[in-house]
């Protein structure tokens, strides 16, 4: 017995008008679901969203017909109707539809009415649709039939992280990493960071030993590579870091000291400064990536698939630094996960806020955001943020006590969100 399509073909259009919003992902999803194969797409855009329309067109043309641009004045109802009417008059046959997920309210109102007028004059049904971000369901009005909501569509379209990057025309600072480095050492560090005294001692070793020998005089950046290669530093000596020191001895094949150049080379780091960054705090990012990879492999019910680390687009002029530590795809939903070894609630909230804004800019309202930090009471920060940002079900904070069970904690997050349950 074959499973019926989640959206029956008679609701799909040969000619689909798409109101282009500031984020291309919902538009891409709607076009994928509501346009028939080899159908014609019409990108209704304002001056503000012209570049978004171009990126959509460039992506769409790779596998489909070249879309038509329909420029409109988003604040002028008459202009919106005239421009769409002009395109409708050229359509001789085929089913016509409109998806108004993107665009302004003014565009949605006038575009919808124009399509309804077209339906009345041609005496042929049109289909109006809207993709709801919270439920991931499509609201559909077809002809004079009763309007309805589809089943959730989250898993019907499955772009990769690279697809999302391409839709935004991002030029990355470097390749997105697809595997963690030194996962065993990162796991030991995560376990050791259960104890406040160990956290303090590791930070002290990083500041007083690692940074003293590897940073420039002003302390603002790592030293030059040719100097870093010959730096030798002692391993941590504090008893609270005994397990970490033992694992460092095994990992780097040393006894009391570590020669950074040799250690970086044998560990697979392209540069010595990358090893320094790893030891100084990026180990947590690699630990979390390792955990998520285990969730993907061991917990198929999580339905996560594409995982990437270090999504760092080059900043455009007059724009702030813009990066996501770890990205995870679940259907067309992006999970943006930020990692910090900080425990200060203020700093953690700032890190979470930055990730939340960046992720929504990158992948729309469907995005979920996570923070992995060393806070003692992550639930307090999560509660505060959810209430302040109206982000119920969209934000999750994991703290120090979650580290030993992070696989189960993150799996539950992915599963519950993927099923539409808020935790």
């Amino acid at each position: 017995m074959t499973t019926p399509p989640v959206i029956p073909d008679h609701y799909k259009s040969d000619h689909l008008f798409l109101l282009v919003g500031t984020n291309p992902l919902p538009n891409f999803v709607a076009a994928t679901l509501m346009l028939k194969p080899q159908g014609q797409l019409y990108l209704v855009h304002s001056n503000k969203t012209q570049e978004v329309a171009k990126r959509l067109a460039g992506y769409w043309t790779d596998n489909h017909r070249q879309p038509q641009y329909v420029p409109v004045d988003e604040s002028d109802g008459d202009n919106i109707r005239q421009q769409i009417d002009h395109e409708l008059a050229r359509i001789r046959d085929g089913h016509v539809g409109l998806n108004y997920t993107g665009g302004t309210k003014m565009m949605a109102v006038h575009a919808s009415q124009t399509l309804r007028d077209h339906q009345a004059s041609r005496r042929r049904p049109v289909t109006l649709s809207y993709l709801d971000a919270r439920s991931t369901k499509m609201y559909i009005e077809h002809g004079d039939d009763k309007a309805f909501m589809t089943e959730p569509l989250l898993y019907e379209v499955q772009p990769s992280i690279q697809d999302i990057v391409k839709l935004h025309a991002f030029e990355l600072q470097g390749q997105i990493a697809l595997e963690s480095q030194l996962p065993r050492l990162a796991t030991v560090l995560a376990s050791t960071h259960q104890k406040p005294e160990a956290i303090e001692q590791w930070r002290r070793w990083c500041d007083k030993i690692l940074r003293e020998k590897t940073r420039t005089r002003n302390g603002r950046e790592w030293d030059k590579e040719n100097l870093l290669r010959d730096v030798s530093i002692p391993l941590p000596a504090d008893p609270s870091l005994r397990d970490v020191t033992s694992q460092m001895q095994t990992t780097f094949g040393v006894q009391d000291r570590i020669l950074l150049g040799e250690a970086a080379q044998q560990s697979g780091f392209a540069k010595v400064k990358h090893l320094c960054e790893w030891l100084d705090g990026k180990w947590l990012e690699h630990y979390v990536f390792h955990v998520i990879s285990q969730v993907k492999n061991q917990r198929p019910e999580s339905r996560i698939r594409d995982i990437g680390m270090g999504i760092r687009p080059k900043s455009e002029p007059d724009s702030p630094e813009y990066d996501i530590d770890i990205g995870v795809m679940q259907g067309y939903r992006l999970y943006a996960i930020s990692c910090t070894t900080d425990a200060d609630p203020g700093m953690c909230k700032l890190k979470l806020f930055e990730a939340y804004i960046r992720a929504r800019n990158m992948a729309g309202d469907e995005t979920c955001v996570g923070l992995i930090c060393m806070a003692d009471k992550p639930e307090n920060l999560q509660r505060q943020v959810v209430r302040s940002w109206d982000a119920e079900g969209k934000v999750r904070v994991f703290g120090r006590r979650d580290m030993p069970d992070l696989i189960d904690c993150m799996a539950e997050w992915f599963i519950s969100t993927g099923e539409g349950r808020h935790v």
Side-chain angles (χ1 to χ4, degrees), residues 16-35 41-45 49 51-57 59-60 98-104 107 129-131 138 157 167-168 332 363-366:
L16 180 66
F17 288 80
L18 191 70
L19 302 191
V20 178
T22 54
N23 189 284
L25 181 58
N27 286 138
F28 170 75
V29 172
T32 303
L33 293 170
M34 299 306 298
L35 184 65
L41 191 63
Y42 301 81
L43 300 174
V44 184
H45 66 86
T49 58
E51 290 303 314
V52 181
K54 288 181 179 178
R55 292 199 295 270
L56 273 166
Y59 188 95
W60 196 257
L98 165 72
N99 183 276
Y100 54 93
T101 305
T104 62
M107 289 168 65
S129 60
Y130 175 83
L131 181 63
M138 190 77 77
V157 181
L167 283 170
H168 286 77
Y332 62 80
D365 293 339
E366 296 87 351

Side-chain angles (χ1 to χ4, degrees), residues 87-104:
E87 295 297 334
L88 287 170
R90 299 165 60 184
I91 297 173
R92 296 292 173 235
D93 54 31
H95 181 61
V96 177
L98 165 72
N99 183 276
Y100 54 93
T101 305
T104 62

Side-chain angles (χ1 to χ4, degrees), residues 179-192 243-252 267 269 278-279 283-284 286-291 294:
E179 60 182 38
S180 61
Q181 291 178 282
L182 306 183
R184 289 186 180 178
L185 180 55
T187 301
V188 174
L189 276 163
S191 176
T192 301
D243 290 345
V244 175
T245 302
S246 175
Q247 186 59 47
M248 290 177 77
Q249 291 171 332
T250 301
T251 299
F252 301 120
S267 302
F269 289 96
W278 192 100
L279 294 167
W283 63 266
L284 180 58
H286 287 257
Y287 170 66
V288 173
F289 186 93
H290 178 61
V291 164
Q294 290 179 287

Side-chain angles (χ1 to χ4, degrees), residues 81 85 112-123:
R81 293 172 69 100
D85 262 332
S112 297
Q113 190 57 53
T114 303
L115 267 289
R116 289 191 177 98
D117 291 346
H118 177 77
Q119 173 177 277
S121 64
R122 294 286 184 94
R123 296 184 179 180

Side-chain angles (χ1 to χ4, degrees), residues 229-245:
R229 277 196 293 269
D230 296 326
V231 172
S232 173
I233 56 176
L235 297 182
D238 191 85
S240 66
L241 298 175
R242 187 178 294 111
D243 290 345
V244 175
T245 302

Side-chain angles (χ1 to χ4, degrees), residues 308-327:
M309 180 168 48
I311 306 166
R312 296 188 168 83
K314 290 183 179 178
S315 296
E316 298 178 357
D318 303 320
S319 295
E321 190 75 10
Y322 190 109
D323 62 74
I324 292 174
D325 291 341
I326 299 171

Side-chain angles (χ1 to χ4, degrees), residues 210-226:
L210 176 66
R211 281 175 168 248
E212 284 288 332
K213 294 284 189 178
T214 56
R215 304 285 278 192
T216 55
R217 286 187 178 181
N218 59 21
R220 292 181 181 175
E221 56 188 19
W222 302 106
D223 226 328
K224 294 179 180 178
E225 279 293 301
N226 62 325

